[in-house]
Amino acid sequence: KAGVTQTPRYLIKTRGQQVTLSCSPISGHRSVSWYQQTPGQGLQFLFEYFSETQRNKGNFPGRFSGRQFSNSRSEMNVSTLELGDSALYLCASSLSLAGGGDTQYFGPGTRLTVL
Amino acid sequence: AQSVTQLDSQVPVFEEAPVELRCNYSSSVSVYLFWYVQYPNQGLQLLLKYLSGSTLVKGINGFEAEFNKSQTSFHLRKPSVHISDTAEYFCAVIPPGIKAAGNKLTFGGGTRVLVKP
Protein backbone atom coordinates (compact mmCIF):
# COMPACT_ATOMS: atom_id res chain seq x y z
CA LYS A 1 0.00 0.00 0.00
CA ALA A 2 1.36 3.41 -0.89
CA GLY A 3 1.98 5.75 2.00
CA VAL A 4 0.92 9.34 2.47
CA THR A 5 2.29 11.50 -0.30
CA GLN A 6 2.83 15.24 -0.18
CA THR A 7 3.62 17.54 -3.05
CA PRO A 8 5.72 19.45 -3.61
CA ARG A 9 8.48 18.37 -1.27
CA TYR A 10 10.20 21.75 -1.34
CA LEU A 11 8.94 25.24 -2.06
CA ILE A 12 10.51 28.66 -2.03
CA LYS A 13 8.22 31.68 -2.00
CA THR A 14 8.52 35.37 -1.25
CA ARG A 15 6.64 37.39 1.33
CA GLY A 16 3.13 38.32 0.28
CA GLN A 17 2.69 35.39 -2.09
CA GLN A 18 0.31 32.54 -1.53
CA VAL A 19 0.99 28.82 -1.63
CA THR A 20 -0.99 25.59 -1.96
CA LEU A 21 0.25 22.29 -0.60
CA SER A 22 -1.22 18.92 -1.47
CA CYS A 23 -1.66 15.71 0.48
CA SER A 24 -2.83 12.32 -0.78
CA PRO A 25 -3.79 9.99 2.07
CA ILE A 26 -3.36 6.25 2.18
CA SER A 27 -6.02 4.53 0.13
CA GLY A 28 -9.17 4.03 2.22
CA HIS A 29 -8.25 6.66 4.80
CA ARG A 30 -10.87 9.36 5.19
CA SER A 31 -9.29 11.62 7.81
CA VAL A 32 -6.49 14.05 6.98
CA SER A 33 -4.74 16.30 9.48
CA TRP A 34 -2.15 19.01 8.91
CA TYR A 35 0.67 20.07 11.22
CA GLN A 36 3.27 22.81 11.09
CA GLN A 37 6.76 22.05 12.38
CA THR A 38 9.20 24.84 13.20
CA PRO A 39 12.34 24.91 15.35
CA GLY A 40 10.82 27.52 17.65
CA GLN A 41 7.25 26.31 18.07
CA GLY A 42 7.69 22.60 17.43
CA LEU A 43 4.81 20.57 16.02
CA GLN A 44 1.51 22.41 15.99
CA PHE A 45 -1.86 21.20 14.78
CA LEU A 46 -3.36 23.21 11.94
CA PHE A 47 -6.63 21.49 11.04
CA GLU A 48 -8.32 18.20 10.38
CA TYR A 49 -10.72 17.10 7.68
CA PHE A 50 -13.06 14.16 7.49
CA SER A 51 -15.59 13.51 4.73
CA GLU A 52 -14.81 16.88 3.13
CA THR A 53 -15.64 18.77 6.34
CA GLN A 54 -13.26 20.57 8.66
CA ARG A 55 -13.71 18.87 12.03
CA ASN A 56 -11.07 20.55 14.11
CA LYS A 57 -8.94 23.67 13.85
CA GLY A 58 -5.79 24.81 15.62
CA ASN A 59 -4.76 28.29 16.67
CA PHE A 60 -3.63 29.75 13.38
CA PRO A 61 -4.71 32.94 11.62
CA GLY A 62 -7.28 32.89 8.86
CA ARG A 63 -4.48 33.06 6.26
CA PHE A 64 -4.22 29.32 6.75
CA SER A 65 -7.02 27.38 5.15
CA GLY A 66 -7.64 23.94 3.78
CA ARG A 67 -10.08 21.69 2.07
CA GLN A 68 -10.70 18.04 1.38
CA PHE A 69 -12.00 16.52 -1.80
CA SER A 70 -14.39 13.62 -2.28
CA ASN A 71 -11.45 11.25 -2.86
CA SER A 72 -10.06 12.31 0.56
CA ARG A 73 -7.13 14.21 -0.96
CA SER A 74 -6.51 17.43 0.88
CA GLU A 75 -4.95 20.78 0.16
CA MET A 76 -3.88 23.54 2.44
CA ASN A 77 -3.41 27.12 1.40
CA VAL A 78 -1.47 29.93 3.01
CA SER A 79 -2.16 33.41 1.73
CA THR A 80 -0.05 36.55 2.18
CA LEU A 81 3.00 34.61 3.24
CA GLU A 82 5.14 35.88 6.10
CA LEU A 83 8.72 34.97 6.97
CA GLY A 84 7.44 33.10 10.03
CA ASP A 85 5.49 30.72 7.81
CA SER A 86 8.75 29.02 6.84
CA ALA A 87 8.30 25.51 8.17
CA LEU A 88 7.89 21.85 7.44
CA TYR A 89 4.23 21.15 6.80
CA LEU A 90 3.21 17.60 7.62
CA CYS A 91 0.10 15.80 6.59
CA ALA A 92 -1.23 12.72 8.38
CA SER A 93 -3.99 10.33 7.41
CA SER A 94 -6.05 7.82 9.35
CA LEU A 95 -9.07 5.66 8.74
CA SER A 96 -11.50 7.69 10.79
CA LEU A 97 -11.89 10.20 13.59
CA ALA A 98 -11.40 7.60 16.27
CA GLY A 99 -9.37 9.95 18.44
CA GLY A 100 -6.24 7.86 18.58
CA GLY A 101 -7.73 4.44 18.15
CA ASP A 102 -6.66 4.57 14.52
CA THR A 103 -2.99 5.09 13.81
CA GLN A 104 -2.10 8.32 12.06
CA TYR A 105 0.39 7.90 9.23
CA PHE A 106 2.51 10.89 8.32
CA GLY A 107 3.80 11.98 4.96
CA PRO A 108 7.37 13.21 4.39
CA GLY A 109 6.29 16.82 4.55
CA THR A 110 6.61 19.90 2.40
CA ARG A 111 9.48 22.22 3.30
CA LEU A 112 8.32 25.81 2.71
CA THR A 113 10.86 28.60 2.74
CA VAL A 114 9.62 32.18 2.65
CA LEU A 115 12.15 34.80 1.58
CA ALA B 1 -6.43 21.32 27.59
CA GLN B 2 -3.44 19.04 27.44
CA SER B 3 0.26 19.75 27.52
CA VAL B 4 3.25 17.48 27.01
CA THR B 5 6.73 18.02 28.41
CA GLN B 6 9.77 16.20 27.19
CA LEU B 7 12.33 16.80 29.87
CA ASP B 8 15.44 16.38 27.74
CA SER B 9 15.97 18.27 24.52
CA GLN B 10 19.07 16.26 23.62
CA VAL B 11 20.34 12.88 24.73
CA PRO B 12 23.77 11.69 23.62
CA VAL B 13 24.29 7.96 24.08
CA PHE B 14 26.90 5.42 23.07
CA GLU B 15 26.05 2.58 20.73
CA GLU B 16 24.76 -0.53 22.53
CA ALA B 17 24.02 1.48 25.69
CA PRO B 18 20.46 1.82 27.03
CA VAL B 19 18.47 5.01 26.60
CA GLU B 20 15.43 6.48 28.34
CA LEU B 21 13.49 9.44 27.01
CA ARG B 22 11.23 11.13 29.50
CA CYS B 23 7.74 12.39 28.82
CA ASN B 24 5.26 13.93 31.24
CA TYR B 25 1.79 15.15 30.39
CA SER B 26 -0.87 17.20 32.04
CA SER B 27 -4.52 16.79 31.27
CA SER B 28 -7.84 17.21 33.02
CA VAL B 29 -9.09 14.05 31.28
CA SER B 30 -7.58 10.69 30.51
CA VAL B 31 -5.52 10.58 27.35
CA TYR B 32 -4.14 8.27 24.75
CA LEU B 33 -0.33 8.42 24.59
CA PHE B 34 2.04 8.06 21.66
CA TRP B 35 5.71 8.07 20.78
CA TYR B 36 6.76 9.06 17.27
CA VAL B 37 10.21 9.11 15.70
CA GLN B 38 11.41 11.48 13.00
CA TYR B 39 14.54 10.60 11.03
CA PRO B 40 16.34 13.43 9.23
CA ASN B 41 14.35 14.87 6.32
CA GLN B 42 11.45 12.53 6.91
CA GLY B 43 7.96 12.60 8.39
CA LEU B 44 6.91 11.04 11.67
CA GLN B 45 6.68 7.31 12.24
CA LEU B 46 4.68 5.77 15.08
CA LEU B 47 6.84 3.79 17.51
CA LEU B 48 4.12 2.76 19.94
CA LYS B 49 0.90 3.87 21.59
CA TYR B 50 -0.98 3.39 24.83
CA LEU B 51 -4.76 3.32 24.71
CA SER B 52 -5.64 1.13 27.69
CA GLY B 53 -4.72 -2.13 29.37
CA SER B 54 -1.19 -3.16 30.26
CA THR B 55 0.91 -0.18 31.25
CA LEU B 56 4.00 -1.60 29.54
CA VAL B 57 3.74 -1.09 25.81
CA LYS B 58 6.08 -2.64 23.29
CA GLY B 59 6.70 -0.96 19.98
CA ILE B 60 8.76 -1.30 16.86
CA ASN B 61 12.56 -1.40 16.64
CA GLY B 62 12.94 -2.71 20.21
CA PHE B 63 11.39 0.30 21.93
CA GLU B 64 9.02 0.08 24.87
CA ALA B 65 7.26 2.60 27.08
CA GLU B 66 5.61 2.51 30.47
CA PHE B 67 2.48 4.44 31.35
CA ASN B 68 2.41 5.70 34.92
CA LYS B 69 -0.91 7.30 35.73
CA SER B 70 0.04 8.56 39.19
CA GLN B 71 3.12 10.33 37.83
CA THR B 72 1.43 11.24 34.53
CA SER B 73 4.43 9.94 32.68
CA PHE B 74 5.06 7.85 29.59
CA HIS B 75 8.80 7.28 29.36
CA LEU B 76 10.34 5.57 26.34
CA ARG B 77 13.19 3.07 26.69
CA LYS B 78 15.45 0.94 24.57
CA PRO B 79 17.91 -1.46 26.21
CA SER B 80 20.57 -1.23 23.49
CA VAL B 81 20.68 1.51 20.86
CA HIS B 82 22.14 1.43 17.37
CA ILE B 83 23.61 4.19 15.25
CA SER B 84 20.42 4.03 13.18
CA ASP B 85 18.38 5.16 16.22
CA THR B 86 19.82 8.65 15.80
CA ALA B 87 16.68 10.72 15.29
CA GLU B 88 14.26 13.04 17.03
CA TYR B 89 11.60 11.50 19.22
CA PHE B 90 8.24 13.04 20.03
CA CYS B 91 5.77 12.20 22.75
CA ALA B 92 2.14 13.08 22.00
CA VAL B 93 -1.34 12.82 23.50
CA ILE B 94 -4.96 12.76 22.36
CA PRO B 95 -7.97 12.86 24.66
CA PRO B 96 -10.03 9.78 23.75
CA GLY B 97 -13.37 10.08 22.04
CA ILE B 98 -14.42 11.67 18.78
CA LYS B 99 -16.14 14.65 20.34
CA ALA B 100 -13.14 15.61 22.43
CA ALA B 101 -10.47 16.15 19.83
CA GLY B 102 -10.79 13.86 16.81
CA ASN B 103 -7.28 13.02 15.77
CA LYS B 104 -5.63 16.19 17.02
CA LEU B 105 -2.26 15.28 18.49
CA THR B 106 -0.62 17.53 21.08
CA PHE B 107 3.14 17.05 20.87
CA GLY B 108 6.00 17.58 23.25
CA GLY B 109 9.00 19.61 22.18
CA GLY B 110 10.99 16.57 21.04
CA THR B 111 14.19 14.88 22.19
CA ARG B 112 17.13 14.57 19.84
CA VAL B 113 18.98 11.31 20.33
CA LEU B 114 22.53 11.16 19.05
CA VAL B 115 24.03 7.68 19.11
CA LYS B 116 27.81 7.72 19.16
CA PRO B 117 30.01 4.83 18.07
Side-chain angles (χ1 to χ4, degrees):
Chain A
K1 220 180 212 183
V4 178
T5 57
Q6 292 187 245
T7 56
R9 290 292 311 277
Y10 301 92
L11 263 180
I12 299 175
K13 293 285 187 179
T14 56
R15 279 181 298 175
Q17 288 186 310
Q18 76 164 20
V19 67
T20 299
L21 313 181
S22 180
C23 172
S24 292
I26 291 171
S27 177
H29 285 194
R30 295 173 63 195
S31 172
V32 173
S33 300
W34 289 88
Y35 293 83
Q36 182 196 63
Q37 185 177 23
T38 60
Q41 300 298 316
L43 280 154
Q44 294 185 286
F45 172 81
L46 279 157
F47 26 65
E48 176 178 30
Y49 288 86
F50 182 80
S51 293
E52 302 178 65
T53 302
Q54 187 179 91
R55 302 293 178 141
N56 218 334
K57 190 177 190 311
N59 260 350
F60 280 82
R63 300 185 296 107
F64 291 81
S65 63
R67 58 178 175 168
Q68 186 181 34
F69 302 94
S70 58
N71 62 359
S72 295
R73 191 177 70 83
S74 177
E75 289 180 348
M76 66 164 282
N77 184 77
V78 188
S79 61
T80 320
L81 284 166
E82 300 177 0
L83 295 178
D85 298 333
S86 293
L88 181 67
Y89 290 88
L90 292 164
C91 163
S93 79
S94 61
L95 281 169
S96 68
L97 280 176
D102 291 332
T103 297
Q104 289 191 62
Y105 295 88
F106 282 79
T110 294
R111 172 77 62 187
L112 172 64
T113 302
V114 182
L115 303 175
Chain B
Q2 302 74 238
S3 67
V4 181
T5 303
Q6 292 184 239
L7 298 159
D8 306 295
S9 59
Q10 292 189 68
V11 172
V13 58
F14 285 105
E15 196 174 15
E16 297 183 11
V19 70
E20 178 179 83
L21 308 184
R22 297 178 292 169
C23 172
N24 286 89
Y25 67 93
S26 65
S27 176
S28 56
V29 298
S30 60
V31 293
Y32 292 154
L33 295 146
F34 306 80
W35 275 99
Y36 282 87
V37 60
Q38 185 176 34
Y39 299 104
N41 300 316
Q42 294 188 29
L44 302 176
Q45 180 182 9
L46 180 69
L47 281 175
L48 48 81
K49 63 182 177 182
Y50 173 79
L51 304 183
S52 65
S54 172
T55 57
L56 183 63
V57 181
K58 293 193 183 296
I60 62 171
N61 300 341
F63 284 94
E64 64 180 33
E66 186 152 20
F67 169 60
N68 187 318
K69 187 175 182 179
S70 62
Q71 296 187 3
T72 59
S73 68
F74 191 54
H75 300 335
L76 180 71
R77 302 184 186 97
K78 185 169 182 177
S80 175
V81 297
H82 303 290
I83 296 288
S84 59
D85 292 321
T86 294
E88 189 156 20
Y89 294 79
F90 293 93
C91 182
V93 303
I94 291 180
I98 293 174
K99 290 184 181 179
N103 288 323
K104 175 186 173 184
L105 286 160
T106 299
F107 286 94
T111 298
R112 287 187 186 276
V113 172
L114 176 60
V115 181
K116 304 177 182 181

